[in-house]
Amino acid sequence: MIPGWTLESQKGKGSFALERKLVLVGSAAGCDLRLADLAPRELQILSLPDKVVLEAQGKGVKLDGHALKPGVPQDAPEGGALTLSDGSTWELRKARRSAGAVEPVLQAVELLVESPDPSQCLPRLLEFSAIHLAADEGVLLEGGDPENVIASWPQDLGGTYSRSAVRAAFERGVAVLWAESGEGDAPLDGPSLTRSQIRSILCATLRLPDETVPLGCLYLHRKGTAAAFTEEDRTAFQRLVGMLALVFGSARRRAEEHAALEAFRSAEKGGGILAFSDSMLQTLVQARKFAPASVPVLILGETGTGKERMARQIHESSRRNGPFIAINCAAIPASLMEAELFGHEKGSFTGASADRDGLFDAAKGGTLFLDEVGELAPHLQAALLRALQEKTIRRVGSTHERPVDVRIVAATHRDLEQMVRTGTFRQDLLFRLNVATIAIAPLRDRPADILPLARVFAQKASAEFGVPFSGLSRSAEKALMRHGWPGNVRELENCLQRSILEAGGDRIQSEHMGLKEGESPMGTLAEVREVAERRATESAMARAGGNLTQAAGILGIDRKVLRDLLRRLGMYEASAED
């Protein structure tokens, strides 16, 4: 229990902790401090943070040698000598928290900083908070669900806690204090709390800066004869939870950046695709299933989604000992494309001064990647269909068929089925190409890939340009998540290359990215509301010169509501109390 006021006996009778805010001294059975030779109800003691208030209930009680008048409250500072009617003398002392009380916090910070996965440390944070604030019991809830308990303290706790207090903490966004006495935000009521002998509650969400969804909620309560939580405890709890959230966020970003560095090193070695979202991971699983067979593969996806990387990964998983040859079907004129693909005989056309192999020959035993296959001219579609069906090719100007051992992987951003309906793409060729089809979702539809890929690209650009990567700021992360990415992964990589150069070794900020404001959606309703609240609050506080009462008047809200708003926005420390 957090130490408060105590009565220290000057005649060796020990000490008595004033655990309750209001303590009754006397000989009656209902008294908190019972001494046989006192009156049944001799003295009431009210404990406040900076003093104690005494109210004698009868004659014979003295403070520093002066008799107290019955029924008249009298302030008693620390060190005051209280003499009772039995002649015993007690000194009022405010117990000090030992230096060891900070040890749990240091352990929590050390655990978060050193853990490879800070999320696994959340249950330990409950334990540290409970010890630091001398709670009898507590629970940790994950996310924003008041029913989702993932840890309890002590571990054998049956899960008794106030769901109403948890919901209040989620709604307010600041630490909630409920007490049996009615102090704090609300009095305790309800039969379940009464049966559990819960006297006071502290509850706060564990929320990272600029994130609308909390990591979870820390809940603590005291029971039985334990002293109730105070406003001082609430302040300490709010600061503790806020500090742990900051350390957690920093540790998580550091772990993510370390994972990105490892992913970058792995990608450099293997040349494969990096995937973090469930949809992209499932796409890779599908690609691995298709890779061992030599059937043609059709890769669908918008420009910049990584279709050629996917083709290379399929090649590495099936024909890595052979060559990988890639050609963009939209980049070569149709008049030259047939010779480019199949080769030509000497004299077959003007300029054909010698026999020449085509890309099918160059890709023998390996993979031929036909990017933007939807751009092939009709006569080339027919020639490609024959090569797929017969596994033979004929050079331009030749009459002889030549067998080829080539795996075809084709890709397009166009809707080939629609092209079949309009007569611009052969249906039989589409049937041959899409024996195995892989669809790569655009980056905007897999947001879980954005930040990890951004860190990988930043690490890659850092190594390429020789400029240190010091991490992504929260503003940069929010800008990345809000952008629409019409250019997909390619645009993201270009963005991070620019950002590394602009930042020059500092932490990347949103202004380093060059993302146009008009290309970014406004964000979630909660984010828009928070921005508006922050701007209005900053303006009101500036106009009021930091005076909370005046600022609340400008905003048209209660001073207490403003104080809670400042706490939620992380502005309370900087505000000036009036």
Side-chain angles (χ1 to χ4, degrees):
M1 174 176 62
I2 293 178
W5 290 92
T6 62
L7 290 175
E8 303 284 345
S9 173
Q10 294 184 351
K11 293 185 178 180
K13 293 187 177 182
S15 63
F16 177 78
L18 303 180
E19 295 176 334
R20 293 179 179 271
K21 187 170 185 179
L22 187 64
V23 170
L24 183 62
V25 180
S27 59
C31 292
D32 299 289
L33 175 56
R34 294 181 63 190
L35 297 173
D37 296 331
L38 300 183
R41 295 171 60 90
E42 183 154 309
L43 177 68
Q44 281 190 169
I45 305 176
L46 176 65
S47 299
L48 298 176
D50 58 343
K51 63 182 178 181
V52 169
V53 179
L54 307 176
E55 184 178 329
Q57 305 297 297
K59 295 181 179 181
V61 181
K62 298 178 181 180
L63 176 63
D64 293 332
H66 300 287
L68 298 181
K69 294 181 180 181
V72 178
Q74 174 68 51
D75 290 353
E78 184 176 4
L82 175 65
T83 304
L84 302 177
S85 62
D86 64 353
S88 62
T89 302
W90 304 74
E91 188 174 6
L92 287 163
R93 288 293 179 190
K94 190 174 185 182
R96 307 298 179 189
R97 184 175 296 168
S98 66
V102 77
E103 187 62 26
V105 183
L106 296 178
Q107 292 177 12
V109 172
E110 182 180 14
L111 184 69
L112 282 172
V113 170
E114 294 184 354
S115 174
D117 183 5
S119 298
Q120 296 180 355
C121 303
L122 288 176
R124 294 292 299 277
L125 298 188
L126 167 65
E127 177 184 353
F128 293 134
S129 301
I131 292 173
H132 183 65
L133 287 157
D136 292 311
E137 295 173 343
V139 295
L140 170 68
L141 301 101
E142 187 175 38
D145 185 353
E147 302 287 340
N148 190 18
V149 176
I150 62 169
S152 59
W153 188 86
Q155 292 186 357
D156 57 355
L157 172 66
T160 300
Y161 67 99
S162 171
R163 288 156 179 79
S164 299
V166 171
R167 284 191 288 268
F170 281 134
E171 291 171 1
R172 297 183 57 188
V174 295
V176 169
L177 168 62
W178 286 8
E180 184 181 58
S181 62
E183 294 190 4
D185 302 307
L188 292 177
D189 55 15
S192 61
L193 297 181
T194 302
R195 287 194 301 270
S196 301
Q197 296 184 317
I198 295 176
R199 298 197 58 204
S200 59
I201 293 170
L202 276 177
C203 187
T205 55
L206 189 64
R207 187 187 302 269
L208 296 181
D210 300 326
E211 289 196 4
T212 56
V213 179
L215 296 168
C217 185
L218 282 173
Y219 168 97
L220 307 173
H221 64 226
R222 291 181 182 169
K223 300 173 66 175
T225 60
F229 290 119
T230 65
E231 286 291 342
E232 186 180 358
D233 295 328
R234 190 222 296 253
T235 301
F237 186 51
Q238 182 70 65
R239 293 185 63 186
L240 174 65
V241 170
M243 183 271 291
L244 291 177
L246 288 173
V247 176
F248 180 92
S250 177
R252 189 175 73 173
R253 282 194 292 274
R254 186 162 46 252
E256 290 169 345
E257 287 163 7
H258 176 74
L261 179 59
E262 292 302 313
F264 164 58
R265 290 169 177 167
S266 175
E268 286 293 293
K269 292 178 181 179
I273 290 181
L274 292 170
F276 303 90
S277 65
D278 290 341
S279 63
M280 198 61 190
L281 288 170
Q282 291 172 4
T283 300
L284 288 180
V285 169
Q286 187 181 37
R288 292 188 189 103
K289 291 179 179 178
F290 294 153
S294 293
V295 297
V297 177
L298 178 63
I299 304 174
L300 305 176
E302 294 180 3
T303 300
T305 51
K307 296 189 292 294
E308 183 170 346
R309 279 187 173 271
M310 181 68 75
R312 286 184 179 274
Q313 185 146 319
I314 292 171
H315 169 74
E316 288 294 321
S317 301
S318 58
R319 295 195 167 204
R320 63 183 309 167
N321 294 325
F324 177 87
I325 305 296
I327 182 172
N328 189 321
C329 299
I332 298 176
S335 58
L336 301 178
M337 189 57 142
E338 186 174 5
E340 189 74 17
L341 287 174
F342 306 114
H344 61 76
E345 297 284 319
K346 178 180 178 180
S348 58
F349 55 83
T350 302
S353 57
D355 293 348
R356 180 177 178 272
D357 289 340
L359 295 182
F360 269 86
D361 293 302
K364 183 178 179 181
T367 302
L368 177 60
F369 174 56
L370 302 176
D371 197 10
E372 299 303 341
V373 70
E375 308 303 321
L376 281 178
H379 72 284
L380 294 174
Q381 293 179 27
L384 177 59
L385 175 63
R386 180 173 180 80
L388 288 170
Q389 287 177 329
E390 307 299 332
K391 299 189 185 306
T392 60
I393 60 170
R394 182 188 300 169
R395 284 179 173 177
V396 175
S398 173
T399 59
H400 300 292
E401 299 284 343
R402 301 168 55 235
V404 289
D405 176 23
V406 174
R407 181 176 194 174
I408 298 295
V409 178
T412 183
H413 73 283
R414 302 185 64 178
D415 186 345
L416 295 184
E417 292 185 355
Q418 176 63 28
M419 293 179 68
V420 168
R421 289 191 288 271
T422 59
T424 54
F425 198 83
R426 294 179 64 109
Q427 186 176 49
D428 47 4
L429 177 58
L430 177 58
F431 289 155
R432 281 290 177 181
L433 288 175
N434 70 351
V435 174
T437 302
I438 298 171
I440 304 178
L443 187 58
R444 62 181 174 275
D445 291 343
R446 41 189 176 100
D449 281 329
I450 294 174
L451 293 183
L453 285 175
R455 294 187 179 96
V456 171
F457 293 148
Q459 296 282 5
K460 183 178 179 181
S462 173
E464 181 178 349
F465 303 145
V467 179
F469 172 48
S470 300
L472 298 170
S473 68
R474 291 297 299 146
S475 67
E477 290 179 350
K478 292 181 71 172
L480 289 169
M481 294 302 294
R482 289 177 176 178
H483 190 62
W485 303 112
N488 293 292
V489 178
R490 185 179 299 144
E491 181 189 4
L492 178 63
E493 184 170 14
N494 293 342
C495 173
L496 267 298
Q497 289 176 342
R498 170 195 173 99
S499 301
I500 283 289
L501 295 174
E502 289 280 358
D506 295 333
R507 183 174 287 271
I508 294 176
Q509 306 293 333
S510 58
E511 55 266 26
H512 295 143
M513 296 181 169
L515 298 176
K516 295 181 181 179
E517 191 70 25
E519 294 177 353
S520 302
M522 294 180 64
T524 66
L525 181 59
E527 291 172 334
V528 173
R529 182 169 58 244
E530 180 179 334
V531 170
E533 288 176 338
R534 185 178 296 277
R535 289 176 179 172
T537 304
E538 288 175 346
S539 175
M541 290 294 290
R543 290 169 57 189
N547 185 293
L548 293 185
T549 302
Q550 293 181 18
I554 294 172
L555 293 170
I557 59 178
D558 183 74
R559 184 178 182 276
K560 185 174 182 297
V561 174
L562 174 59
R563 189 169 59 247
D564 291 343
L565 178 60
L566 289 169
R567 286 197 182 102
R568 179 162 57 82
L569 295 174
M571 299 167 57
Y572 189 72
E573 292 286 335
S575 67
E577 283 286 0
D578 53 296

